[in-house]
Amino acid sequence: MFLINCPYCGERDQSEFSAGGEAHIIRPKQPTELSDDQWAEYLFMRKNIKGVQFERWNHAHGCRKWFNMVRDTSNDKIHAVYKMGEKPPIK
Amino acid sequence: MSKNLRITNNKFIDQTTRISFKFDGKTLYGFKGDTLASALLANNIHLVGRSFKYHRPRGIMTCGSEEPNAIVQLGNDPSMTEPNTRATEIELYEGLEASSQNCWPSVKFDIGAVNNFFSPLLPAAFYYKTFMWPANFWKLYEYFIRKSAGLGKSPTEPDKDIYDHRYLHCDVLVVGGGISGIMAAKTAAKNNFNTVLIDDKNILGGNTLFQQNECFKINNSYSNEWLKKEISTLNLFKNLNIKTRTSLAAYHSYNYLLARENLTDHLDFNEKKNKIRQRLWKIRAKKVIIATGAIERPLIFNNNDRPGIILSSSIKKYIDYYGVKCGQKISLFTNNDSAYETAISLSNSGVKVNSLIDIRDKTNSLIVTQAEKLGIKIHWKSTVVNTNGYKKINSIEIMKLSDDGTAVVESKTKEQCDCLGISGGWTPRVHLFTQSGGKLKFRDEDNVFLPDKSDLDQISIGSCNGDFELDDVIKNSVNLTNKFLKVNNNDYEKLEIISSKEIDKKNIWLLPSDKPLGKTKPFLDFQNDSTANDVKLALREGFKSIEHVKRYTTTGMATDQGKLSNMHALGIIAETAGVKMGELGTTTFRPPYTPLTFGAIVGRNVGKFFDITRKTPIHDWHVENKAEFENVGQWKRAWYYPKDNENMYDAVQRESKAARDSAGILDASTLGKIDIQGSDASEFLNRVYTNAWSKLEIGKCRYGLMLNEDGMVYDDGVTTRLSENHYLMTTTTGGAANVLSKLEDYLQTEWPELDVYLTSVTDHYGTVSICGPNSKKILSKLIPDLDLSDKKFPHMSFKSALIDNIKCRVMRISFTGEHSYEINIQSSYAKSVWEKCFEAGKEFNITPYGTETMHLLRAEKGFIIAGQDTDGTMTPVDLQMDWIISKKKYDFIGKRSLYRSDTIREDRKQLVGLLTENPNEILEEGAQIVAKTNKKPIEMLGHVTSSYFSPNLNKSIALAVVKNGKKLKGQKMFVPMKNKTINVTITDTVFLDKENKRLNA
Amino acid sequence: MLNYNPPINEAKNYSELKISEIEPITKINLRGKNRDFITKIGKELSIIPPSDPNTSSGNEKLNILWLSPDEWLVYSNDKIYLNERNALLEKLFDEISKVQLGSVTDVSDHWVMINLKGTKVFELLSSGCPFNFNNFKNSKGAVTQTLLNHIDVIIHNKNINDLNIFVRRSFCEHLWRWLNDSARFT
Amino acid sequence: MKNKYSIFSLIKNAFSYHENWQRAWRDPEPKKEYDAIIIGGGGHGLATAFYLAKKHNMTNIAVVEKGWIGGGNTGRNTTIIRSNYLWDASAGLYDHALKIWEGLSQELNYNVMFSQRGVMNLAHNLQDVRDLKRRTHANRLNGIDAVWLNTEEVKKFCPIINTSPNIRYPVLGGTLQKRAGTARHDAVAWGYARGADAMGVDIIQNCEVKGIKRKENGVEGIETTKGFIKTKKIGVVAAGHSSVIANMVDLKLPLESKPLQALVSEPVKPIIDTVVMSNAVHAYVSQSDKGELVIGAGTDAYVSYTQRGSHDVVEGTLKAILELYPIFSRMKMLRQWGGIVDICPDASPIISKTHIEGLYFNCGWGTGGFKATPGSGDLFAHTIANDEPHKLNADFNINRFVSGDLVDEHGAAAVAH
């Protein structure tokens, strides 16, 4: 069970959160302009990184805010959390 | 109790309180403070079980959680019996009943022992190589294999005990209450850390607790006396929480640990009642100090598994702590100094030590000299090559070792004994450390794996960190703890410590024998009966990885999870394969450290607390009126209201008819309700629904379909425009939470520019839905001053109203096709409003109906239920709801997906109506639909999603999805059932009132 | 007259622990982002909504609990009569929602308030709540949203060993039964 | 030629104290070049190699494995085998596998202990009933032996299930596939390895793939910890690590790798003689021939390659187990572990060519790949050998995520209304 530092509420047990997958996949502003391939890329294709990944989490049972997390998927170590719209603190 | 096996000058157990217990049906006696194992040994009972594969007689081998053999069935009540409990951990209580496992008819005469005779045919993994002929006989072979598998017996009735959970947050968690753990806990507590110290035994102190030996002294006292004083100071600290009988089960990442506290297992039956049996502590510690000690290793030689062969340190504990002699003529076999402590303890208690067989060359450490002084005979550079005695050891055979230790030389001598203590050195308990993700390093000089690197805030101290001698334990534990906690506790700085130092170290993983290996049985895993031969066979057959060998031979996979066997298996693999042990690595230690009761993991979340039950504010009325309930997600919804022994079918027919003929009333409180405010509310709805919202007039309602980004229907519901920038959205019952969370997601992440706020009001409102031609009259009785004319209050509109001065919102919307109203009122008044409606409707025979009737009524109208008529593969077009997709809107969730090459296909599965040729034949929901029945394989075109007998149309109706269904209207199809084929015709989805006349009736 | 049906309407006493459902009080959900919103609320309620996470503000009449950076729960200490509540709601709605400063929603019956009192309250909570109460315990006015026996709750540390727990109405009977079951072993 | 395993070989070897058993497979160094290389020495990869050699005469091939064969999900799953899938494409695929299972011990001369003890799927709400009945009807028409059981029949088939109507989610019925069952997971990997090795396939363990060398539109070979190995055809069967390999050639797959946990109890005498699965009350259980209850838990929602998951998942699963089998409360968890499963959005696998010539992927099996092992190997071998899919795996191509023509076994599961 992770101990997650919600950028708003502070450290909380993982059970209060829900995971939302890879971060920084921006919904295309003009979906109709995209080819089926490009749309599939947005919809389904994922890097699924083994290593440092940027991902979305929601403090679902707390403040209900979505935020981003930098986590190493090879050891589950959380390197940073940051608010939506903020730049990642780590490259 | 054999008097001569108990010494009386023992201070740890209460020899004044005699306890009676039963083993294998025989009444025996022990004392308060005994374990089942110590009491059995005191009764001269060694043989307690049979091994897994060969059914060899097995005895008590240890005194703790690493016990592989003394595994017994506890109790025989079908609900309270417990299989596979370790006799070495069971605290004796009055009336305890235990029995041997895996033997028939008895542990003394076990038919299964014939396997031992056939053992040459049963090498490791023999089962992969046989039982293949004839091919269909595996079922039969397996029947017999299964019968012989397993150890104890599962209970057959539900458990009556209660289990519980507790969360615990602390600064420092110390695991293990031996000497190093106690010093660490005291240091932490003294420095104001909120500290928890846990130990699996019923008393703190570990092995030092009974260490009364001249060779181990602190400040001129025996180490146990010094430690006792330390322990007595612990209760001074209010910030130190001590938990005994608490076993650390799992150490997960982020310093999340699970510990099982045993609260009643040691109590007698009367005291156990109505108490929590076990409590699982879910601990979140800022810092963790592991002080779990070490496990003594056995030695691997021919027939090293007979009852009476016991770990040397356990013999010491039995004599020093329990006052029990494991034998009258004890021999000891060792490769290190610790067996000498046992020899001295035995000698001091008046037990004859035949001799001590030491594989090392003569050594003269303090403790060895001490033992020699006591006149104990020592065979240096010797090994035991065989043991004799079937149900209990009666003699051993000793030979000299060659200089390189690979062979035995000279003549064999036989020595009578009734117990053999074995000591193969020590293995640090690094299990928790590795569970937490820590990496190990290997120390060559004494062949131990030690904690190395960890990402977590933790340390290991004491013998689990590889310090085996008293002075090292104290010095290093203190230093490590101080450094770890960033404190400077100098309490232990000036201790004068006497500690015997081991001078010589020697280890032989597989001791040589005078017989060829194939003729010997040197056991590694005592419970699973795997031998060194098995490991070597695996290597010969090409299984190289330690994990392969483990799985091929099952070494380390028994209920002790290899606590005694893993190191030797690794050693033998390394030796045989010619690789260094440090490079070989270990198998993964998986949680739990010792087997953990399912009940404890689940806690009180059983029975009525298995899952949350959600109830509507009108629930009690449904109960009072004998409703049957349907589970919808976590909600309890009234399903139907049987009258006078009606079955569901009859009740639903009656309810459905009443709703159309006069009036029906439904509790719709479970629908999700989301309050939407903000200047961009309309734009927001445009983006989340497929249809357009900007032009919806204030006071009007509109039905909306919500898609996933993949274009498939996700949810639906009616949304009402309450004012310019204020909407009330309804969702399906099951979709409510997901919809809100999805909408919040879009608002927060994709559209932060939108000025929109969402607030769930699902529970604030109770929703009473009345429908039928008389619903208007009923409502007018309830709210006389509300103008219900079609002009003032048309279909798909809403009004604020007062019922008895309480504000409510009335929507004129319909899911049944009838003239219908939904009254939303704050929950505390919902039941009262329901009752008022019921009262007002009495003259119209208002009939309460449940979800089943609601489903029937809407099916008559061809309205879909998301989740029943859709399954995550249906687009709005598939549902023949093209009209709801706005062509003007640039974008909405899922729009782009509707234009992919597969989603624009015209022959997708589409929602249609179905009528059976025989109007009385009701199709089964889920039944498949085909066009031809003769061609094989039969192509399935779709399936029935909803099906009912419509009392209002007096015929069976169904909704279905059918490939290219839109174009197949009027076509005949078949529904092939198991025993018959039903003829059907594809129709329009609307069966009743296609002109929607009833809405305004 | 319509009957008022409280969901629990009960109080239970245990040794050093009292669990009770509190009579109908007013609860209002507020959402808004900008400074004007905060100022307006402050003006209307004479209490400034707290901007620090996990805290509350209040006076003898009302409390405002922080729920998220743009969301607060207002609740009254005592029963407020319906007319008064409606007036308050209307006023807030007009001053906030209508002028697009944020949202104002009546959630009086969405949430049920259960009061826990006694020295054993935190022991009770620890049997089903992963939240770390070590600091919370000693900070009067602290607020947390977390899970209690898998149910979403808002917990307000009203006073020493005196907590108000808010739970959604449809869950409250289940939670109530669980709290009382837990109390047996606390 | 490999010596045949049988009771006679056991007796013969007993006389020489089992000193003379042959190696089950060689331990070769990689050759410079192979006709094809399979990345991933799990059951699927080894089966692919076996069928490439056996049915397509491709014997100059290698299986490269990062660790030890069968050490990934093959050795970590709960060994359930069934074919009662809803959609025609899935039913075709899994029943193809089931048919191979039925003769696999003989085909491999290795007892994989395929035990057709039946798999029962329980329904706990009305939508479950609809969905399971729908599946049963489809199965019947597809020639798959699944039947619907009412609650009494469920109880009769597995008496220890709590079928009381008073539990939170009562059992409303279930489906039973009698041909379904379990097999010994390790034996599957070892049997295929032994069989493939006998035909000349090189099984190279402790050999991690570090890169894929490209050549125009195709591939030239793989960079490994044991050096560069040349080949024109690469079949990737890396399960949870599929994306790691795909990322080497900048290929994105519709996969997320998540921890899936399982656990066993201590061994007890036979108490449950079938496999019971429940989706709504999430738990599935069987009992191994050793006596351990084998219990499958769920996946966590986040990507992780750590082979560990959250305790909450295990707790939730055991909670469900005790709801359905309250007699197990005093049983003890002996061991728990995790695997990494690669999950496709439609919960169906990918057995497919890619836009890169000579590069094939077999992945996305999610939580249910073990049951497909023989079929997956056979069809993937066909795809690699012929550079085009077999008709049974044609629907499981990567392009379905572009066109939208998913094989949605996910959506086919119940969505509460």
Side-chain angles (χ1 to χ4, degrees), chain A residues 13 27 36 39 56 66 76, chain B residues 254 709 745 748 896-897:
Chain A
D13 190 88
R27 190 174 186 275
D36 280 3
W39 180 244
R56 291 152 27 89
W66 284 89
D76 284 344
Chain B
Y254 292 86
E709 282 293 13
D745 186 357
Q748 288 178 33
R896 176 62 185 82
S897 286

Side-chain angles (χ1 to χ4, degrees), chain B residues 647-831:
Chain B
N647 61 20
M648 177 165 99
Y649 178 84
D650 291 337
V652 169
Q653 294 290 308
R654 172 180 52 74
E655 290 170 14
S656 304
K657 195 127 183 44
R660 293 234 189 268
D661 288 351
S662 178
I665 181 166
L666 172 86
D667 180 359
S669 306
T670 61
L671 292 179
K673 295 172 269 293
I674 301 168
D675 183 274
I676 303 171
Q677 297 177 39
S679 54
D680 295 318
S682 305
E683 170 60 15
F684 175 68
L685 291 172
N686 279 336
R687 296 187 191 186
V688 302
Y689 280 128
T690 60
N691 46 353
W693 292 79
S694 309
K695 287 184 184 153
L696 181 69
E697 286 170 44
I698 293 168
K700 287 286 162 64
C701 313
R702 181 167 285 172
Y703 174 78
L705 262 190
M706 206 181 281
L707 310 185
N708 255 330
E709 282 293 13
D710 68 0
M712 304 303 155
V713 171
Y714 179 71
D715 203 77
D716 66 347
V718 170
T719 294
T720 304
R721 191 168 200 170
L722 301 169
S723 62
E724 176 65 23
N725 298 314
H726 191 190
Y727 290 85
L728 181 70
M729 173 189 280
T730 58
T731 73
T732 60
T733 300
N738 292 336
V739 169
L740 179 62
S741 132
K742 178 179 155 132
L743 298 184
E744 271 290 347
D745 186 357
Y746 275 92
L747 274 178
Q748 288 178 33
T749 62
E750 302 294 351
W751 310 322
E753 74 280 4
L754 291 188
D755 175 39
V756 175
Y757 296 101
L758 309 177
T759 305
S760 168
V761 288
T762 302
D763 294 40
H764 181 67
Y765 293 105
T767 305
V768 177
S769 171
I770 50 174
C771 80
N774 286 316
S775 58
K776 193 176 183 175
K777 291 179 195 149
I778 296 167
L779 190 68
S780 69
K781 280 171 81 177
L782 208 66
I783 317 174
D785 46 0
L786 190 63
D787 185 346
L788 298 180
S789 66
D790 287 342
K791 200 173 164 202
K792 280 279 157 82
F793 195 0
H795 182 57
M796 295 308 267
S797 64
F798 120 93
K799 291 275 177 254
S800 279
L802 291 174
I803 303 180
D804 286 349
N805 216 23
I806 309 293
K807 265 168 81 170
C808 63
R809 289 172 179 158
V810 184
M811 277 79 171
R812 188 171 162 197
I813 52 180
S814 175
F815 191 43
T816 59
E818 291 300 313
H819 191 126
S820 172
Y821 300 93
E822 271 186 25
I823 307 164
N824 287 285
I825 191 154
Q826 64 174 95
S827 292
S828 299
Y829 297 102
K831 188 173 170 227

Side-chain angles (χ1 to χ4, degrees), chain A residues 47-62:
Chain A
K47 285 188 209 141
N48 196 25
I49 286 170
K50 180 180 187 178
V52 175
Q53 162 161 295
F54 297 81
E55 57 190 20
R56 291 152 27 89
W57 284 76
N58 181 224
H59 192 190
H61 304 285

